[in-house]
Amino acid sequence: MTAEHQHPLAYADFVARATADPAVVGLVLKGSQAHEGMATERSDHDLYVVVADGTAGGLTRLHGHRSAALDLLVLPLADFRELGGAPGFERYALARARVVLDRLGGGIARVLADAARLDAGEAFRDAAALLDAYANSLYRSVKNTRDGHPLAARLDAADSARYLLELVFTLERRPRPYNKYLRWELDRHPLPGWPGDELPAAVDRITCTGDAGLQRAVFARVEPVARRAGHGGVLDAWGEDLHLMRPPRT
């Protein structure tokens, strides 16, 4: 049995140990402990340990360590930099992570800043695909409501809400937060056009009820933003079906 299993690593003790190791060029805290007000008595510390490229031995053997108190990801600097530009939820984890140690004169902090801002080309490409997927699920949901299939309508509405969240963040070149942090993120970093709790409240009602009227109202807010971002062609490809997605004319 290793010493780490006999005496579980404590966060503060490990940080002191890693800081004393010259091979460690950065320490980055992610997860609930990095989100002010989100940690509970059950929250562990999730820590990236960034080591100089070519480093072997030492703390690298602790990569993947998991305990009730501390989870460790020990990565070479090159891999850590790549992680900051990779798609998926880990991008958000980095975007809102906290620098504990940066021996690169701000180089670690720049990785986090880059993770928080999607490349323009990447965002445009991803938004186009997400917009089409959102429109598809929305259309199916409101059509199923119209045709008397309430379960199908609610299931499609839940699918549409997932794509909606991905889309509205991508249109702003931001990674989508974990569901757990959605309200935290919007409280501190609001999305343009979605004041207060409007977006979480709309998603909550849509996923619970499949409310077709609300789905159409939300689409009416998303459509002009998507068109201004250059995605009119994606929408126009839906032709007459767009009328079903939009609020009825009064």
Side-chain angles (χ1 to χ4, degrees):
M1 180 178 289
T2 65
E4 284 77 18
H5 285 91
Q6 292 174 336
H7 305 286
L9 294 172
Y11 172 72
D13 292 339
F14 180 81
V15 167
R17 175 179 169 183
T19 301
D21 188 335
V24 176
V25 298
L27 295 172
V28 175
L29 182 67
K30 68 170 183 171
S32 296
Q33 297 286 357
H35 287 70
E36 182 183 2
M38 291 297 294
T40 72
E41 69 276 6
R42 295 182 295 276
S43 297
D44 62 2
H45 289 78
D46 296 288
L47 194 66
Y48 292 105
V49 183
V50 187
V51 297
D53 292 331
T55 299
L59 294 181
T60 59
R61 65 187 174 82
L62 292 177
H63 176 67
H65 169 89
R66 294 179 63 86
S67 72
L70 184 64
D71 291 353
L72 299 176
L73 291 172
V74 185
L75 301 174
L77 177 59
D79 291 355
F80 180 71
R81 283 176 169 151
E82 285 187 10
L83 195 62
F89 280 113
E90 198 65 19
R91 180 108 178 230
Y92 176 78
L94 273 173
R96 297 295 177 229
R98 192 171 81 227
V99 175
V100 178
L101 175 69
D102 188 342
R103 286 199 170 112
L104 300 179
I108 298 295
R110 281 192 293 275
V111 172
L112 306 192
D114 289 345
R117 185 71 170 165
L118 305 183
D119 174 79
E122 171 192 13
F124 185 85
R125 180 182 64 253
D126 290 351
L130 289 166
L131 176 60
D132 196 48
Y134 166 55
N136 183 57
S137 292
L138 167 63
Y139 173 73
R140 291 177 182 278
S141 180
V142 295
K143 186 173 69 169
N144 280 321
T145 294
R146 180 198 66 190
D147 295 343
H149 305 296
L151 174 59
R154 291 195 299 272
L155 292 173
D156 287 325
D159 288 342
S160 80
R162 176 170 66 90
Y163 292 122
L164 168 66
L165 289 174
E166 294 275 4
L167 174 62
V168 293
F169 279 96
T170 301
L171 286 170
E172 294 299 323
R173 294 176 57 186
R174 288 165 55 180
R176 174 190 164 182
Y178 293 14
N179 294 330
K180 177 181 178 179
Y181 302 128
L182 177 62
R183 281 194 163 95
W184 185 98
E185 177 73 13
L186 293 174
D187 284 346
R188 290 158 179 78
H189 309 280
L191 285 168
W194 293 99
D197 199 45
E198 285 190 8
L199 181 58
V203 167
D204 186 13
R205 182 163 179 79
I206 287 169
T207 54
C208 289
T209 69
D211 186 326
L214 179 57
Q215 290 191 74
R216 290 185 175 108
V218 169
F219 182 74
R221 297 171 70 167
V222 172
E223 182 176 2
V225 177
R227 288 188 181 278
R228 287 195 297 271
H231 299 296
V234 174
L235 292 163
D236 292 338
W238 281 86
E240 294 298 312
D241 291 335
L242 279 174
H243 296 307
L244 190 61
M245 304 180 208
R246 294 169 173 156
R249 294 178 180 177
T250 56

